Amino acid sequence: MTIKISIDCMGGDHGPSVTIPAALSFLNSEPEAELILVGLQDDVRAELKKHKADSHPRLSILHASEVVTMDDPIEIALRRKKDSSMRVAIELVKDGKAQACVSAGNTGALMAVSRYVLKTMAGVDRPAICSILPNQKNGPTYMLDLGANVDCEPHHLHQFAIMGSVLVSAMEGIKRPTIGLLNVGTEEIKGNEVVKATAKLLREDHERGSLNFFGNVEGNDIFKGTTDIVVCDGFVGNVTLKAVEGLGRFVKGALTTEFKRTPLTMLAALLGKGALKKFSNTFNPSRYNGASLLGLRGLVFKSHGGADAYSYEWAIKRAFDAAKYNVQEQLSAMITELMPRTPDPEVPGITHS
Amino acid sequence: MTIKISIDCMGGDHGPSVTIPAALSFLNSEPEAELILVGLQDDVRAELKKHKADSHPRLSILHASEVVTMDDPIEIALRRKKDSSMRVAIELVKDGKAQACVSAGNTGALMAVSRYVLKTMAGVDRPAICSILPNQKNGPTYMLDLGANVDCEPHHLHQFAIMGSVLVSAMEGIKRPTIGLLNVGTEEIKGNEVVKATAKLLREDHERGSLNFFGNVEGNDIFKGTTDIVVCDGFVGNVTLKAVEGLGRFVKGALTTEFKRTPLTMLAALLGKGALKKFSNTFNPSRYNGASLLGLRGLVFKSHGGADAYSYEWAIKRAFDAAKYNVQEQLSAMITELMPRTPDPEVPGITHS
């Protein structure tokens, strides 16, 4: 069975020079994939030509006359650039012509356009961004929300947990993935009011067997791999993700500096090349590229803006896998099952206080 | 001039076996320091004996019959153990017999007992925990709050900024340290409601010249060293700090594993020993041990619970420096100067909405 993925070829810092070689490489490795390259057709064709791939039976080009830049405010992406490659790529998902879309465009614009074009799933109040981080168990830790929602109420975090659980279950083949609620301590009494009320909702789900709630986790549990999923609001998630990325760059820079300092350390680096490479692979963000925009009526994956072709290919792979494993259908089913728990907006309850 | 520091010798995972050698080493390196060792006197004396330091002209012992353990709930530390080494050490500060206190005891108990014994400074609503992190400019980034306050309003964050500014100015000799407000983006429109309202308060202070507000910063700016101080609520700060500590341990573990894998990589590690050591020193948390509990009527410093003697000595040094540079007096003066800006509790304003 063929799975069609639409690619926003113009998105990201590098545009076609990254997205197209990534698309070609992915096509070659995945015989079930069919890709629709969306963008300025001359640019797309020129890049294809460079790679001697003018025609490919599982590749098509769809022209889009505009480009959402990395600096474009959401307003511009949403209201002015109606024929942007980003928007057209998402519309293909809406129209059922692609099963998922990949873009390296700016996150705010991508989320806004996706919400506008695809709409939010029934039962979901707010879509969330879910990404993966490496952990000491050599597996991925899925974390959400990473920045779509800076002010969250308990029922939002509760929905993030449900969506994360479905995603991990489908993508990793884990039947009952464990959910951790990011907090300042593991004890039940710890945390702010929103987190405490969220834990209550998750414990109820756990008791009835619909979710596998581990309990509170702390910042270091992300890398310990204590749980498959770490749930937090978008403010905390975004700050934490950027902080660890910042530390990662700092570490890499310092290691490079120290090993280049003297002839002896350079020799050591040469001899230890394999070790250093394996070490750096452990933390290689490329392997973890491809964040999911969860809770929309269609699959959208976001690549890092600065991704190279290798890294971008991972984002395509993740979009492909999500389509292949029916993440969207599973999400709908699970949200529907747990739907009655969404608070009635007419009845002010604890979650609205 | 002699500066007296009280040491809670029983606190932390290791008690006197760490705190006492650290104290002795610090005494030898700092002729102006006088230390009061507080704890179970038999244990303290036995440890001193081990180091052949039964008597020292600048060392005294004060017996305290109880110990706050790392697992003791706040209630126990506060209401049951009234003769704990932690409490007695803090009381010495209250009574003016020590200018600062150091403890590696559990953070929640230390903050609660400190607040109870010393009380909060006039003009400060809530004390905060301020720690330092290394940055790429080879300097320290001061960050607060790191966990004392999980639900914050704008005027709390505003006070954290003032306290951070005074601390950095005194400790680092920077006249107008830059203050960054931790956020999900640098633009003014970014962030949740609390952060946006805080930025407004800080911009007003900046305009009148009382604080040097840089603006919003993101998670990665902590390690870039974009600003001298990073302000956030205790929930975000605690989660972020633990996440970066977790990544740090993960990195260290992975590096060790890779370099121990084969004879060749072990040789590389041997040749690159100096480089690896310098690399690890850059991120050595020991150098950054000693968080300040700011906003109390007295100086209290918190060491990591698991600190070794070398690391604990840094915490003593930080407490000593804070006393030497009159951090407490400067804090009082600055808070008083900016006091009228604290919202009147009887008039609900934007900061209480």
Side-chain angles (χ1 to χ4, degrees):
Chain A
M1 199 196 76
T2 305
I3 290 166
K4 286 187 192 172
I5 309 290
S6 61
I7 311 275
D8 164 14
C9 291
M10 312 308 291
D13 299 339
H14 312 297
S17 68
V18 154
T19 57
I20 290 178
L24 290 171
S25 170
F26 183 70
L27 264 189
N28 288 333
S29 72
E30 185 46 77
E32 288 184 359
E34 194 175 321
L35 301 181
I36 308 170
L37 305 180
V38 184
L40 299 167
Q41 59 186 0
D42 292 348
D43 293 24
V44 172
R45 277 189 211 288
E47 188 66 32
L48 282 172
K49 213 167 185 176
K50 265 194 212 166
H51 299 275
K52 300 189 174 60
D54 304 54
S55 72
H56 189 293
R58 290 182 282 116
L59 199 63
S60 56
I61 299 170
L62 185 58
H63 179 63
S65 63
E66 289 169 307
V67 175
V68 173
T69 68
M70 295 309 271
D71 306 319
D72 270 343
I74 289 174
E75 282 300 295
I76 299 289
L78 209 53
R79 307 203 196 287
R80 297 282 171 81
K81 298 188 171 173
K82 295 193 176 170
D83 196 40
S84 72
S85 56
M86 180 190 279
R87 178 144 171 185
V88 172
I90 298 167
E91 279 168 349
L92 287 171
V93 175
K94 187 195 161 213
D95 299 338
K97 290 175 184 161
Q99 278 127 293
C101 158
V102 181
S103 175
N106 91 59
T107 313
L110 184 64
M111 181 54 104
V113 175
S114 298
R115 281 181 82 156
Y116 180 79
V117 172
L118 294 171
K119 312 297 176 210
T120 303
M121 284 177 71
V124 173
D125 289 277
R126 297 192 193 166
I129 301 172
C130 182
S131 196
I132 47 183
L133 290 161
N135 68 42
Q136 279 168 304
K137 292 179 176 166
N138 206 20
T141 300
Y142 284 66
M143 188 166 164
L144 78 167
D145 173 34
L146 294 178
N149 309 281
V150 293
D151 277 303
C152 286
E153 294 184 21
H155 68 280
H156 298 135
L157 295 176
H158 178 227
Q159 291 170 4
F160 299 166
I162 297 169
M163 296 194 291
S165 181
V166 173
L167 184 71
V168 172
S169 172
M171 299 289 273
E172 306 292 331
I174 299 170
K175 212 167 178 185
R176 284 171 55 74
T178 47
I179 299 163
L181 183 62
L182 196 57
N183 203 338
V184 298
T186 54
E187 307 88 336
E188 278 190 22
I189 54 150
K190 287 288 175 87
N192 57 29
E193 293 311 314
V194 171
V195 163
K196 279 190 248 181
T198 305
K200 199 170 161 281
L201 295 173
L202 290 171
R203 273 197 296 274
E204 286 165 16
D205 280 338
H206 185 82
E207 278 156 23
R208 80 180 67 171
S210 50
L211 288 180
N212 190 2
F213 180 48
F214 173 87
N216 291 328
V217 293
E218 299 182 81
N220 50 339
D221 288 303
I222 300 167
F223 298 104
K224 276 189 189 165
T226 308
T227 56
D228 299 309
I229 302 146
V230 171
V231 173
C232 58
D233 72 47
F235 192 96
V236 172
N238 183 282
V239 164
T240 305
L241 184 72
K242 285 179 184 159
V244 299
E245 284 176 352
L247 177 60
R249 273 190 291 271
F250 184 14
V251 165
K252 203 177 164 182
L255 202 57
T256 309
T257 306
E258 290 310 335
F259 274 104
K260 280 188 179 164
R261 210 178 275 279
T262 68
L264 190 66
T265 57
M266 281 163 81
L267 176 63
L270 197 67
L271 291 175
K273 207 176 164 187
L276 286 169
K277 195 167 174 181
K278 271 194 192 157
F279 165 76
S280 113
N281 274 346
T282 306
F283 301 98
N284 188 352
S286 300
R287 275 173 61 196
Y288 303 97
N289 192 28
S292 325
L293 272 53
L294 285 175
L296 300 161
R297 295 179 195 233
L299 294 171
V300 178
F301 280 78
K302 154 84 181 121
S303 160
H304 263 286
D308 60 14
Y310 172 76
S311 175
Y312 195 85
E313 193 180 336
W314 275 99
I316 305 177
K317 181 170 165 41
R318 292 191 61 73
F320 177 86
D321 286 349
K324 184 174 169 183
Y325 299 138
N326 299 312
V327 164
Q328 199 61 19
E329 292 71 19
Q330 293 188 49
L331 270 177
S332 297
M334 185 80 163
I335 293 281
T336 308
E337 186 195 326
L338 296 172
M339 255 284 269
R341 315 256 345 282
T342 308
D344 183 339
E346 285 175 16
V347 186
I350 183 176
T351 59
H352 287 90
S353 67
Chain B
M1 198 196 79
T2 304
I3 290 166
K4 286 187 191 173
I5 309 289
S6 61
I7 312 274
D8 164 15
C9 290
M10 311 309 290
D13 299 339
H14 312 297
S17 68
V18 155
T19 55
I20 290 178
L24 291 171
S25 170
F26 183 72
L27 264 191
N28 289 333
S29 70
E30 184 47 75
E32 287 184 358
E34 193 174 322
L35 302 181
I36 308 169
L37 305 178
V38 185
L40 299 167
Q41 59 186 0
D42 292 348
D43 294 24
V44 173
R45 277 188 210 288
E47 188 66 32
L48 283 172
K49 211 166 185 176
K50 267 193 209 165
H51 299 274
K52 300 187 176 58
D54 305 53
S55 73
H56 188 293
R58 291 181 281 118
L59 198 64
S60 57
I61 298 170
L62 184 60
H63 179 63
S65 63
E66 289 168 307
V67 175
V68 173
T69 69
M70 294 309 271
D71 305 320
D72 269 343
I74 289 173
E75 281 301 293
I76 299 291
L78 209 52
R79 306 202 196 289
R80 297 283 172 78
K81 297 187 170 175
K82 296 194 178 170
D83 195 40
S84 72
S85 56
M86 179 189 280
R87 178 145 171 183
V88 172
I90 297 167
E91 279 168 347
L92 287 171
V93 175
K94 187 194 162 212
D95 299 340
K97 291 176 184 160
Q99 279 126 294
C101 157
V102 181
S103 174
N106 90 61
T107 313
L110 183 63
M111 181 55 104
V113 175
S114 298
R115 282 182 80 156
Y116 180 78
V117 171
L118 294 172
K119 313 297 176 210
T120 304
M121 282 177 71
V124 173
D125 289 279
R126 297 190 193 168
I129 301 172
C130 183
S131 195
I132 46 181
L133 289 160
N135 69 41
Q136 281 169 302
K137 292 181 178 168
N138 209 17
T141 300
Y142 283 68
M143 188 167 164
L144 77 165
D145 173 37
L146 294 178
N149 308 282
V150 292
D151 278 302
C152 286
E153 292 184 23
H155 68 279
H156 299 133
L157 294 176
H158 178 226
Q159 290 171 4
F160 300 166
I162 297 168
M163 295 194 291
S165 183
V166 173
L167 184 70
V168 172
S169 173
M171 298 289 272
E172 306 291 333
I174 299 171
K175 211 166 180 187
R176 284 171 55 74
T178 49
I179 299 163
L181 183 61
L182 196 57
N183 202 339
V184 298
T186 53
E187 306 88 337
E188 278 191 19
I189 55 152
K190 287 288 175 86
N192 57 29
E193 294 311 315
V194 171
V195 164
K196 280 190 251 184
T198 306
K200 198 171 161 284
L201 295 173
L202 291 171
R203 273 195 298 273
E204 286 167 15
D205 280 338
H206 184 82
E207 278 154 25
R208 80 179 67 172
S210 50
L211 288 180
N212 190 2
F213 180 47
F214 172 86
N216 292 326
V217 293
E218 300 183 80
N220 49 340
D221 288 304
I222 300 166
F223 299 103
K224 276 189 189 165
T226 307
T227 56
D228 299 310
I229 302 146
V230 171
V231 173
C232 57
D233 72 47
F235 191 96
V236 172
N238 183 283
V239 163
T240 304
L241 184 73
K242 285 180 184 158
V244 300
E245 283 176 353
L247 178 60
R249 271 191 292 270
F250 185 12
V251 164
K252 202 177 165 185
L255 203 57
T256 309
T257 306
E258 290 310 334
F259 273 104
K260 279 188 177 162
R261 210 178 274 279
T262 68
L264 190 66
T265 57
M266 281 164 81
L267 177 62
L270 198 65
L271 291 175
K273 208 176 164 186
L276 286 169
K277 198 170 170 176
K278 271 194 192 158
F279 165 76
S280 111
N281 274 348
T282 306
F283 301 98
N284 189 353
S286 300
R287 275 174 61 197
Y288 304 97
N289 192 29
S292 326
L293 272 52
L294 285 175
L296 300 161
R297 296 180 196 233
L299 293 171
V300 179
F301 280 78
K302 154 85 181 120
S303 159
H304 263 287
D308 60 14
Y310 172 76
S311 175
Y312 194 85
E313 193 180 337
W314 274 98
I316 304 176
K317 178 169 167 40
R318 293 191 60 73
F320 177 85
D321 285 350
K324 184 173 170 183
Y325 300 137
N326 299 312
V327 164
Q328 198 62 17
E329 292 70 20
Q330 293 188 49
L331 270 175
S332 295
M334 185 81 164
I335 292 282
T336 308
E337 185 194 327
L338 296 171
M339 253 285 267
R341 316 251 352 278
T342 307
D344 183 339
E346 283 175 17
V347 185
I350 184 176
T351 58
H352 285 90
S353 66

